Amino acid sequence: MCAKVPNPEFANLVIERGGETLNLCFQCGTCTASCPSGRNTAFKTRQLIRKAQLGLKEDIMDSDDLWMCTTCYTCTERCPRGVEIVDIIIALRNIASEEGHMFDDHRKVSNSLIKNGHTVPLTDDYAKLRASMGLPEKPPTVLSDPKALEDFQTIIKKVGFDKLVGGN
Ligand code: SF4
Ligand code: SF4
């Protein structure tokens, strides 16, 4: 088994990209104990922060853990060291997605957003449900305005979101 080699350059990149408080963490574990996602998955917030401190890039990029956080901010509110944990996770996700890593379900949701202008598409069942409640079948959003959807998709392309997601 080969030892994991710390990579300070990667840790510094995380700090530069929004994780300025990374090195304030003293590994108390309060974040892990507070995390609702960690109760239902193997994700451990403290461990992710430690890996980021050590710059264990491959470990972070190759694991689904990075994508298990729901950005609920419970950990950030409770951290005794004032570590901006969500900012660090977002910095890691930004770096990961720029390098082609993204959790499959996040990619699917992002592609749905690009295609429909909404993360959740309007299905026939939802349209019928809306009509049964006296609402227009399509809500007054991009779903009922093709020009607005076109404008939205133009913006998405201009900011490069479609390339980031690897849009289909
Ligand atoms: S709660 Fe804060 S100090 Fe404690 S392990 Fe988590 S990030 Fe580090
Ligand atoms: S913000 Fe993310 S890591 Fe922190 S408690 Fe919520 S789900 Fe867990």
Side-chain angles (χ1 to χ4, degrees):
M1 195 172 75
C2 67
K4 291 173 183 171
V5 182
N7 175 353
E9 272 177 33
F10 182 70
N12 286 337
L13 179 65
V14 176
I15 290 168
E16 275 168 29
R17 295 291 301 270
E20 290 86 354
T21 55
L22 179 62
N23 286 331
L24 294 179
C25 170
F26 62 177
Q27 292 287 292
C28 69
T30 304
C31 49
T32 298
S34 309
C35 179
S37 273
R39 265 174 240 141
N40 298 295
T41 68
F43 170 48
K44 293 181 180 66
T45 318
R46 179 202 58 76
Q47 191 180 63
L48 180 64
I49 299 296
R50 186 62 182 148
K51 285 179 181 176
Q53 285 179 323
L54 293 172
L56 300 181
K57 182 178 178 184
E58 283 72 27
D59 255 34
I60 295 170
M61 301 287 152
D62 292 345
S63 162
D64 287 342
D65 285 357
L66 178 57
W67 307 95
M68 294 297 120
C69 166
T70 62
T71 65
C72 72
Y73 281 85
T74 308
C75 55
T76 306
E77 285 174 5
R78 293 183 180 173
C79 173
R81 295 284 289 161
V83 179
E84 296 291 343
I85 299 163
V86 177
D87 288 357
I88 294 165
I89 291 173
I90 289 172
L92 288 166
R93 286 181 177 177
N94 285 342
I95 297 167
S97 48
E98 283 163 16
E99 296 191 7
H101 303 275
M102 192 180 283
F103 190 54
D104 267 356
D105 287 348
H106 286 223
R107 203 182 291 281
K108 280 183 201 150
V109 169
S110 300
N111 275 319
S112 177
L113 176 70
I114 294 168
K115 186 176 168 200
N116 306 300
H118 283 259
T119 51
V120 179
L122 181 73
T123 62
D124 288 346
D125 285 346
Y126 280 130
K128 278 185 203 147
L129 185 61
R130 288 179 60 84
S132 75
M133 299 174 80
L135 295 167
E137 285 198 359
K138 291 184 179 178
T141 66
V142 291
L143 290 174
S144 53
D145 185 340
K147 175 70 175 64
L149 179 59
E150 203 183 311
D151 290 347
F152 172 77
Q153 288 168 336
T154 301
I155 293 168
I156 286 280
K157 283 200 178 100
K158 280 210 164 161
V159 298
F161 185 69
D162 57 334
K163 286 202 186 89
L164 199 63
V165 171
N168 56 23

